Amino acid sequence: MPTAPVIRSDVPGSFARSVFHERHPELVRQVLDALPYGPAERAAVQRLLAESVTGVLEPPAEDAHDRAQWLAWGEGLWGRPWGEAPFLWAESWFYHRLLDAIGYFRPGTWQGIDPFAPFKNAELAGAAVDDELAALSDLDDLAPARRDAALLSSALWGNRADLSFAMTSEQGGSTDSDLLADDSALLWAELDRTRGGRICVLADNAARELLPDLVLIDHLFTRGSATRVDLYVKPRPYFVSDATTADVLATVERLRSAPTDAAAAIGRRLWHALGSGELTVRTHPFFCAPLPFHDLPADLRAEFTGATLTVLKGDLNYRRLVGDRLWPPTTPFADAARYFPSSVAALRTLKSDVITGLSPTTVARLDRTHTPWRTTGRHAVIQVALRN
Ligand SMILES: O=P(O)(O)OC[C@H]1O[C@](O)(CO)[C@@H](O)[C@@H]1O
């Protein structure tokens, strides 16, 4: 597999640089507005913000609970400017440090409190979710293939509803031309071939994204594609809106308590599947590690081995799957994902510079628009790599 330059945030005018210089200050403002943190937490967050744009990577504190782990992950980077670290690494360290700054890891008022919960909860309780729940009633009238397509599409475009992304971008409807690569026929054919197996789903964001993900999981059970689904979430708050176990439970409850029969029935089935072990919610410290999935630890690799398919949701999982590099966009997706221990399907809207698997015509069409099409979140891909 040829290699490509690793993305860094010290390139003037780059998307990665704008994440640190524009998005993070706005994110920090919203986080500090959402909960009544004390002066010590507020000052620590501001120090982090300043360090991340003008300072150097300070090693973890002597008493940090995971100091040894981070010292190893950051070997060769400590003391260097943040922008010299790989973008993926630096963002992951930023979210870790943000939790540290607000007291998430220390005994005290804020220990274990999700700083992003106010945003996630508001979104889950909102009218847009009411509409999504009501729309589930129409699905029963669809022919099976149409229902497959509708539910896959909801899970895909649900990734547009990322809270971090919503901070600086306009939302809007999608059109067919926004879907830049569509392996959905291959995906359903593979699911029909491997009926009744174990499917892994790597969740991305909570609330409006997790809802259609859970509905898709229910559909995979009811159409006989899976007898078991392992849903992987983050072990702690991460990248603003990433789903944790608490978010899964809140979303299942939102479905269960929906006023419409179709949504409530899905919620009840998921609740039952959780209780029977057909659906498991799993996590692993590696999901908050600053590394691509090429570095999967042996225990996690063993969990994916033997799955009929692993579905990866969202931009961050895509970056970790193919590597956070400036690939030529026509690099075959299957070449980039072949190393993964199971067949994979990526459902991702494009919110960062990484992309593989596009046709030369598609790239030429997008480049002619002279828009930052890789990062606006307007475009999406459904890409599949089978492991034979
Ligand atoms: O929620 P998603 O789809 O993983 O997107 C997260 C994306 O948001 C960013 O953090 C930018 O805000 C990207 O760097 C990242 O890949």
Side-chain angles (χ1 to χ4, degrees):
M1 176 81 194
T3 194
V6 171
I7 298 177
R8 295 181 5 175
S9 63
D10 58 354
V11 178
S14 67
F15 171 75
R17 189 174 193 282
S18 76
V19 167
F20 277 88
H21 287 254
E22 293 162 33
R23 283 189 188 208
H24 287 176
E26 175 61 10
L27 160 65
V28 158
R29 190 189 61 72
Q30 293 188 12
V31 165
L32 295 182
D33 278 355
L35 289 170
Y37 294 112
E41 289 81 22
R42 288 172 187 276
V45 170
Q46 294 302 345
R47 277 198 303 276
L48 165 63
L49 201 55
E51 182 195 309
S52 71
V53 288
T54 56
V56 296
L57 290 159
E58 300 292 350
E62 296 288 336
D63 58 351
H65 68 284
D66 48 5
R67 175 176 157 87
Q69 177 67 88
W70 273 100
L71 280 180
W73 280 337
E75 202 183 333
L77 293 174
W78 305 116
R80 288 167 58 187
W82 281 60
E84 288 183 14
F87 177 43
L88 179 70
W89 193 100
E91 270 192 299
S92 186
W93 178 236
F94 179 85
Y95 283 103
H96 184 79
R97 289 281 308 277
L98 184 60
L99 289 192
D100 192 35
I102 54 101
Y104 185 86
F105 299 115
R106 282 187 306 279
T109 311
W110 301 105
Q111 186 171 35
I113 301 291
D114 182 347
F116 311 122
F119 315 124
K120 295 176 182 175
N121 294 343
E123 191 180 89
L124 191 60
V129 168
D130 289 334
D131 294 345
E132 298 284 302
L133 293 172
L136 289 171
S137 305
D138 302 333
L139 290 175
D140 290 345
D141 301 333
L142 296 180
R146 293 274 315 278
R147 194 176 316 142
D148 285 349
L151 292 174
L152 187 65
S153 178
S154 304
L156 171 68
W157 293 109
N159 182 239
R160 238 190 209 175
D162 166 23
L163 297 170
S164 145
F165 184 72
M167 283 195 269
T168 48
S169 181
E170 288 175 13
Q171 305 279 319
S174 62
T175 63
D176 285 351
S177 65
D178 293 338
L179 190 54
L180 305 181
D182 182 5
D183 290 341
S184 52
L186 180 61
L187 173 63
W188 293 118
E190 178 66 3
L191 288 174
D192 288 341
R193 193 185 68 79
T194 58
R195 285 178 71 76
R198 177 172 67 92
I199 295 179
C200 298
V201 178
L202 272 54
D204 186 19
N205 300 300
R208 263 175 79 193
E209 179 167 357
L210 188 58
L211 182 83
D213 292 346
L214 286 167
V215 172
L216 179 64
I217 288 171
D218 172 66
H219 184 60
L220 294 175
F221 281 127
T222 53
R223 84 190 285 284
S225 300
T227 49
R228 178 166 153 191
V229 174
D230 295 330
L231 174 62
Y232 288 85
V233 295
K234 302 298 187 299
R236 57 176 174 268
Y238 196 54
F239 275 71
V240 187
S241 40
D242 281 19
T244 62
T245 303
D247 297 318
V248 175
L249 297 178
T251 310
V252 172
E253 192 49 38
R254 181 79 156 94
L255 278 157
R256 247 175 31 121
S257 56
T260 49
D261 289 347
I266 294 171
R268 282 196 301 275
R269 285 198 295 270
L270 288 167
W271 182 271
H272 180 264
L274 283 164
S276 68
E278 290 156 289
L279 173 59
T280 69
V281 183
R282 306 176 72 83
T283 190
H284 190 286
F286 187 75
F287 286 113
C288 289
L291 303 173
F293 291 146
H294 299 79
D295 298 314
L296 278 177
D299 54 350
L300 205 47
R301 169 169 282 275
E303 292 188 29
F304 295 129
T305 304
T308 49
L309 182 75
T310 299
V311 179
L312 294 98
K313 289 293 318 288
D315 195 77
L316 179 60
N317 280 325
Y318 190 91
R319 292 166 63 191
R320 297 186 76 184
L321 175 67
V322 303
D324 204 35
R325 292 169 181 268
L326 287 172
W327 298 111
T330 51
T331 306
F333 172 74
D335 285 0
R338 181 163 293 135
Y339 74 91
F340 201 81
S342 71
S343 294
V344 292
L347 307 181
R348 175 231 184 178
T349 62
L350 280 60
K351 303 178 198 163
S352 69
D353 282 315
V354 183
I355 184 65
T356 63
L358 300 189
S359 72
T361 352
T362 301
V363 177
R365 169 171 71 81
L366 293 164
D367 284 345
R368 274 198 304 276
T369 62
H370 300 293
T371 58
W373 56 267
R374 293 163 180 254
T375 58
T376 56
R378 173 161 197 95
H379 301 95
V381 290
I382 299 172
Q383 291 175 319
V384 172
L386 298 183
R387 199 179 167 84
N388 298 313

